Amino acid sequence: MNDPSEARLRMAAHWLQIGRPERVLDELQGLSGDAAVDYRAYLFRGAALHALDRNAEAIDVLRDGLTLHGPFPAMLYVLGSSLRSEGRLPEAEAAFLQGLSLDPNDPDLLIGYAHVCLAAGQAAKASALVERAASHAPESVAVSAARAQVAFALGKDRDMHRHSTEALAHDPEDPNARALHGTASMLTGDSRSGYRSLASAAAAQPGDADLRAAAREAKMFNHPLMLPLRPFARFNPLVVWVAAVAVIYGLRIAGLGPLSFAFAMFWLGFCVYSWVVPPLVRRWINRKWGS
């Protein structure tokens, strides 16, 4: 392999590491001869295409690379991740299991397989895989992020917040860690931190419409007009309604009719407020965000 080709492969690895997948493809476009079919060329091209959400192309490239060079754990990891993104969960599982047969303790493969399990609704199995990965890479941001995702799937909001905070401490600039932290903060009632993290993650990934929408909702929730509604945001609406009705009838049974009536009027006003104000605030925020 000549030096210019090796330099292109090194630059492709650099661009991939710093999150510039489009530059990776530019570098690889200039390869020729043996360098064009080097296993790294397949790996880097597949990883770049996956990062750009061009997963169908990534799958084809990676399978060509595996056919030519045989199984590599790193290539199988990206293949499994691309298949999962395409919703092809049985094929993704097969790719991760093949990778784990080569390296049973690889944290990336274990976490990748855990994500497949989460997508399939197997949160307990995903948790076991993540903890196994944690035993080999306890300080990994990917491990903390995966723990947060497992906690979210299990409905453990406080555990999610704790693990997402750990992930953010490992890598404060990681947009995925910020998105997880923002979601966990909103679920646990810290709407200000939630908005800051979600807005930062959305700014780092401007093409992610779901993340932008989440940041917009968090912005709306932090509006001063939404302050009266915040204490009730974390409770099931049906439970809140039942509690309010119980208070009204409880006061009436206790012989406190005027107080019962006053509370009923207050509750009616609160309900009208909760129905009218959020759509108005949302419309104002959407106009400000240009949508």
Side-chain angles (χ1 to χ4, degrees), residues 208-285:
D208 192 323
D210 291 337
L211 196 52
R212 182 177 171 84
R216 187 184 307 155
E217 283 296 305
K219 175 71 171 177
M220 183 200 78
F221 198 70
N222 277 282
H223 193 278
L225 290 175
M226 296 294 292
L227 184 61
L229 304 178
R230 289 183 197 171
F232 301 93
R234 295 180 58 208
F235 298 100
N236 186 314
L238 180 60
V239 173
V240 175
W241 266 96
V242 169
V245 171
V247 170
I248 292 170
Y249 280 96
L251 291 172
R252 183 178 297 176
I253 291 171
L256 301 173
L259 188 57
S260 174
F261 178 78
F263 183 84
M265 291 300 98
F266 165 79
W267 182 247
L268 177 62
F270 177 82
C271 290
V272 172
Y273 189 93
S274 69
W275 296 331
V276 172
V277 171
L280 293 176
V281 174
R282 184 177 288 109
R283 185 179 302 173
W284 184 81
I285 294 292

Side-chain angles (χ1 to χ4, degrees), residues 152-213:
F152 177 73
L154 293 172
K156 298 179 178 179
D157 297 344
R158 295 197 178 281
D159 285 348
M160 181 190 182
H161 188 270
R162 175 165 56 86
H163 293 311
S164 64
T165 301
E166 291 171 359
L168 204 57
H170 291 319
D171 187 354
E173 303 304 319
D174 185 341
N176 293 322
R178 286 198 167 277
L180 283 169
H181 182 261
T183 301
S185 296
M186 294 299 295
L187 289 171
T188 53
D190 187 357
S191 58
R192 293 187 183 279
S193 293
Y195 170 66
R196 285 196 297 267
S197 290
L198 287 169
S200 175
Q205 301 182 83
D208 192 323
D210 291 337
L211 196 52
R212 182 177 171 84

